[in-house]
Amino acid sequence: MHQLVVTLDCPDRPGIVHAITGGIVRAGGNITELQQFSSPDTGRFFTRIQVEGSQPEELRGSIQDATEGFEAKLTVDDATRPVRTLLLASKAGHALNDLLFRWKGGDLPIDVVGIMANHAVLAPMAAFYDVPFKHRFVTAETKPDFEAEVRKVVEEQDVELVVLARYMQILSPELCEFLAGRAINIHHSFLPGFKGANPYRQAHTRGVKLIGATAHFVTGDLDEGPIIEQNVVRVDHTMDVAKLVRKGQAQESQTLAEAVRLFAEHRVLADGDRTVIFR
Amino acid sequence: MHQLVVTLDCPDRPGIVHAITGGIVRAGGNITELQQFSSPDTGRFFTRIQVEGSQPEELRGSIQDATEGFEAKLTVDDATRPVRTLLLASKAGHALNDLLFRWKGGDLPIDVVGIMANHAVLAPMAAFYDVPFKHRFVTAETKPDFEAEVRKVVEEQDVELVVLARYMQILSPELCEFLAGRAINIHHSFLPGFKGANPYRQAHTRGVKLIGATAHFVTGDLDEGPIIEQNVVRVDHTMDVAKLVRKGQAQESQTLAEAVRLFAEHRVLADGDRTVIFR
Amino acid sequence: MHQLVVTLDCPDRPGIVHAITGGIVRAGGNITELQQFSSPDTGRFFTRIQVEGSQPEELRGSIQDATEGFEAKLTVDDATRPVRTLLLASKAGHALNDLLFRWKGGDLPIDVVGIMANHAVLAPMAAFYDVPFKHRFVTAETKPDFEAEVRKVVEEQDVELVVLARYMQILSPELCEFLAGRAINIHHSFLPGFKGANPYRQAHTRGVKLIGATAHFVTGDLDEGPIIEQNVVRVDHTMDVAKLVRKGQAQESQTLAEAVRLFAEHRVLADGDRTVIFR
Amino acid sequence: MHQLVVTLDCPDRPGIVHAITGGIVRAGGNITELQQFSSPDTGRFFTRIQVEGSQPEELRGSIQDATEGFEAKLTVDDATRPVRTLLLASKAGHALNDLLFRWKGGDLPIDVVGIMANHAVLAPMAAFYDVPFKHRFVTAETKPDFEAEVRKVVEEQDVELVVLARYMQILSPELCEFLAGRAINIHHSFLPGFKGANPYRQAHTRGVKLIGATAHFVTGDLDEGPIIEQNVVRVDHTMDVAKLVRKGQAQESQTLAEAVRLFAEHRVLADGDRTVIFR
């Protein structure tokens, strides 16, 4: 049956769950999944609810009426509608390949509108998966053009999510701002350890016994955005940097794919600098 | 503030969440935590809700009124009330020590009323943690007496949970029946692999690359009760049975402690032969 | 520098390591990696050694001389020589895609000579990765033909490893025998739990809290061959069978790729029904 | 049979393994376990070998003769001789309890000569495990006395290993120097993330999805010493700092116990600022 997904956050006050569920009942909806969280740090209430048996506009209106005065931020969406997604890449194809394979296999509720890259090497992969591919070598001079192009694609194609699938350029503060809350990056370390360049080399030098990957929202502070998902894998003293890279790539791909899935299913809500994840 | 915990399960029908939350609002309660699940397998609805600002009897009555006709099974309890617990043990002390240390440190919301064992070796540990300890060597002849004693303690001391902390005797079908839904065992394998005796030896023979532990409800079918928690740890060809035992013990202790915590916090609900775990 | 890899196993006797290393020294070799294991279960000694500075035939001869009388099984190979590999598949492409991507990226030391499948759906993937693809629908009648074809390819193309990348047909006892010690299957459960068909459905019914994948050598006993690698991932009560399938696929792909890598790097030795894995 | 353990490290040169194994053979020894590693970063060779059938002094002499000119650092020890260990603690008892329980159960090859603490609360635990316990409140003024006492115990009782089992004071540079290579600390974060005070609070603020523990050698650089072992556990947005603390304690205990076991079994060798771990 047709499933809708509702997210709502507001200052936490008694009665909010009853109010929302009242709105759902009055719109003829039946709750199939409900999660909620009251954040002690920010005093905000968050919920994600899946509903069947109701129509989007009717449900939205009914919940809005029911939660009047709660200052709620409300979204109502079709639970299975694919989220319009733009992918950014450079040369490394593992994370990109993983996303594209899962998407084509129906495993990720996204719709990839295109791939933009600062190198041409991944063009055949894009062709195989039948995705528009644009590339432009990025230098200090051409970066503004590349970023303007990203912006244009986002605006003209109603892109809801930009995924940096090992895109190895730092976005300008302006583009970070423009994409706030809708751009996800994969960093190849277990943040906050080993920020910046060459995290696997840093990890080798420090002699850590686990390496990891972190998917986070892009912000103007490099590698400091709210964390969505992290994973680690065990390593040992015999592994050189190249082996750490290889070992870590599977973690990168999986961590990024999971973050994209969580976002596309409306399971990621922002609570200040932290995320609320309704799995 | 005073916290109450509500669990409820009933046949799944539209409006149930709104009905319950209405009951909570009318009892002056504020929801601080809410989880729910609709089981496609059994058609049942499950929820666990933490509430502050209300009194137990008032809350119970108000929810009962609100859910009339839903055929709901309802429990309302003080969220911090320790659950009265009886521990059964044999010779191995690791799981027992872990439970007692966590309990004394305030990490497990239980109240240990006593330890019953079929060997005397753990008596000093019981004394250190200041817990009554009874032991009786169990043979085919003395087993009925031991079990009668368990039954008596459970009845006379209002025991709510019996934990088999590596108690190495099989309970009689009658005692299993008597303790249904309130006895947790730790089995030293990743069930359903390696049921019965000597699971570490079985694991070694089979050459598995991970060994595990399973906490489950005790039923008359040996090692077949609903699973509450499982963990595994990596092993390799160099490890003999003794090393697997040592390696597995940390998993056993942690897995059992986690299962006891989940039970004591009213986070474990039965859905046929499976469990619903509201973490 | 040119690297050779030596594996040797024999009845365990004092002096064997010194004898082998003597053979290496006399062939002008320098040891860069050495692992050894004495199996208490079978009384056999196993070693894997990487050597630089020597030539294959000279090294082989020198070690043979040095270990005369030890009844040793010896292999000497170029450490970077890709292992000639045939892939079998059906409809599911995740494990196949993962192997092909890693191979093309230089991450797996194999050389894929072809893909044989009992369905045609993966033909485009094979084309993209530029690998010969044959398919033939397998029924009770056509199975002998398909298997004869596999045999022919193995013989004519000097195939050293056959990988069942979610090939959903049971091999005949004769083919199992023919491929003994050189065919790896990925089973989509944490063996020995959930052998046979529909392991994810079995896992759901049993209500386990972790699901897994097992890469093992193919033998005539279904899902009973020596285990090479296993992994698990946490699941919960909310996941239906379809979600378990999706969740498990990443484990399957990784577990199989790791087993193939271990085999291709000569890190897997047979110790009766168990494996010795020199990581 | 009587087992000896040999560790040796020296500049890496061809023939070293053959030389050592020759020394072992000539001393009548049989190798039961051998691991080796050539470090590309420092150019050093490391090995750990278990030997049976030989006497310590004879074995040492024979290996020394055989490796003359290699500038080798050699240790020969009885493989089952418990390592003389001093424990430092403060108020938190989880890591201490875990070490003491494992030690008494024969799971850790150490001999605990005493516990020194800057608080008295763990005295009963020490008494239960029958270990001498000294406490002295540590302030800026009394710190030198406490550290002088530690030094004295180490010297007078031939202590080989000092374990900081959540000892919450920073050691002076002089004591760090004195204990170099023989003092292990457990830090309650996944280093290098969250160095210094209150790592769980830092982890909560940053919103990480995994928390961890790190066992490392103590050096004058706080939380910067060579890492021996690390573990992590998954956390989520619902967990406040207190819950992270509770969740992390099991990791701390296990990680520290594993590091102590590795050290006591002579499995930890120093390779510059990194460790070589022969599991």
Side-chain angles (χ1 to χ4, degrees), chain A residues 212-242:
Chain A
T214 304
H216 63 92
F217 281 116
V218 175
T219 65
D221 282 336
L222 185 66
D223 301 331
E224 289 281 4
I227 293 171
I228 300 168
E229 176 70 337
Q230 298 186 293
N231 282 296
V232 293
V233 64
R234 191 160 286 274
V235 296
D236 64 39
H237 63 272
T238 66
M239 300 178 181
D240 59 15
V241 176

Side-chain angles (χ1 to χ4, degrees), chain B residues 62-122:
Chain B
S62 185
I63 296 176
Q64 266 170 346
D65 291 350
T67 58
E68 220 193 309
F70 279 94
E71 302 167 71
K73 286 199 295 186
L74 172 69
T75 74
V76 176
D77 206 343
D78 190 318
T80 56
R81 185 183 66 78
V83 164
R84 295 178 65 76
T85 302
L86 172 66
L87 305 178
L88 302 191
S90 292
K91 286 180 181 172
H94 56 284
L96 190 71
N97 180 58
D98 192 72
L99 288 174
L100 293 171
F101 181 79
R102 288 175 192 255
W103 162 52
K104 285 290 183 185
D107 179 18
L108 278 181
I110 58 173
D111 202 356
V112 178
V113 304
I115 301 169
M116 293 181 64
N118 61 331
H119 290 281
V121 301
L122 297 172

Side-chain angles (χ1 to χ4, degrees), chain B residues 93-95 97 101-102 107 124-125 128-129 243 246-247 249-251 254 258 261 265 267 279, chain D residues 93-95 97 101-102 107 124-125 128-129 243 246-247 249-251 254 258 261 265 267 279:
Chain B
H94 56 284
N97 180 58
F101 181 79
R102 288 175 192 255
D107 179 18
M125 187 185 288
F128 175 64
Y129 285 106
K243 216 163 185 174
R246 191 183 73 189
K247 194 94 182 169
Q249 287 184 346
Q251 301 299 315
Q254 268 191 71
E258 179 69 4
R261 189 185 68 79
E265 294 181 0
R267 296 182 183 278
R279 281 173 200 280
Chain D
H94 56 284
N97 179 58
F101 180 80
R102 288 175 193 254
D107 179 18
M125 186 185 288
F128 175 63
Y129 285 106
K243 218 164 184 172
R246 191 184 72 190
K247 195 95 182 167
Q249 286 183 346
Q251 302 299 316
Q254 269 191 69
E258 179 68 4
R261 188 184 69 76
E265 293 181 359
R267 296 181 183 280
R279 281 174 201 279

Side-chain angles (χ1 to χ4, degrees), chain B residues 206-207 209, chain C residues 181 183-185 214-219 221 223-229 268-276:
Chain B
R206 186 63 186 88
K209 302 302 183 188
Chain C
I184 296 175
N185 182 46
T214 303
H216 62 92
F217 281 116
V218 175
T219 65
D221 282 336
D223 301 333
E224 288 282 1
I227 293 170
I228 300 168
E229 176 69 338
V268 184
L269 284 81
D271 181 27
D273 294 336
R274 308 168 75 240
T275 56
V276 172

Side-chain angles (χ1 to χ4, degrees), chain C residues 73-91:
Chain C
K73 287 198 295 185
L74 171 70
T75 74
V76 176
D77 205 344
D78 190 317
T80 57
R81 186 184 65 80
V83 163
R84 294 180 64 77
T85 303
L86 171 67
L87 305 178
L88 302 191
S90 291
K91 286 179 177 171

Side-chain angles (χ1 to χ4, degrees), chain D residues 115-127:
Chain D
I115 301 169
M116 293 181 64
N118 61 331
H119 290 281
V121 301
L122 297 173
M125 186 185 288

Side-chain angles (χ1 to χ4, degrees), chain B residues 65-238:
Chain B
D65 291 350
T67 58
E68 220 193 309
F70 279 94
E71 302 167 71
K73 286 199 295 186
L74 172 69
T75 74
V76 176
D77 206 343
D78 190 318
T80 56
R81 185 183 66 78
V83 164
R84 295 178 65 76
T85 302
L86 172 66
L87 305 178
L88 302 191
S90 292
K91 286 180 181 172
H94 56 284
L96 190 71
N97 180 58
D98 192 72
L99 288 174
L100 293 171
F101 181 79
R102 288 175 192 255
W103 162 52
K104 285 290 183 185
D107 179 18
L108 278 181
I110 58 173
D111 202 356
V112 178
V113 304
I115 301 169
M116 293 181 64
N118 61 331
H119 290 281
V121 301
L122 297 172
M125 187 185 288
F128 175 64
Y129 285 106
D130 202 17
V131 181
F133 181 85
K134 288 183 196 174
H135 72 94
R136 182 193 292 253
F137 193 67
V138 173
T139 62
E141 285 77 42
T142 62
K143 189 167 171 174
D145 289 354
F146 186 89
E147 295 203 343
E149 182 86 18
V150 169
R151 224 174 157 125
K152 197 176 145 212
V153 171
V154 169
E155 283 171 340
E156 292 184 353
Q157 303 210 35
D158 297 323
V159 165
E160 299 163 277
L161 173 64
V162 176
V163 179
L164 284 64
R166 292 298 308 273
Y167 176 67
M168 302 303 281
Q169 296 284 326
I170 297 173
L171 302 190
S172 70
E174 295 72 31
L175 189 57
C176 290
E177 177 64 28
F178 174 70
L179 296 176
R182 50 183 176 154
I184 296 176
N185 181 46
I186 182 72
H187 183 74
H188 38 313
S189 87
F190 183 73
L191 290 174
F194 312 131
K195 288 191 278 195
N198 285 325
Y200 289 121
R201 183 167 299 281
Q202 294 182 57
H204 179 77
T205 301
R206 186 63 186 88
V208 289
K209 302 302 183 188
L210 299 163
I211 57 168
T214 304
H216 63 92
F217 281 116
V218 175
T219 65
D221 282 337
L222 185 66
D223 301 333
E224 287 283 3
I227 293 170
I228 300 168
E229 177 68 339
Q230 298 186 293
N231 283 296
V232 293
V233 64
R234 191 160 287 273
V235 295
D236 64 39
H237 63 273
T238 65

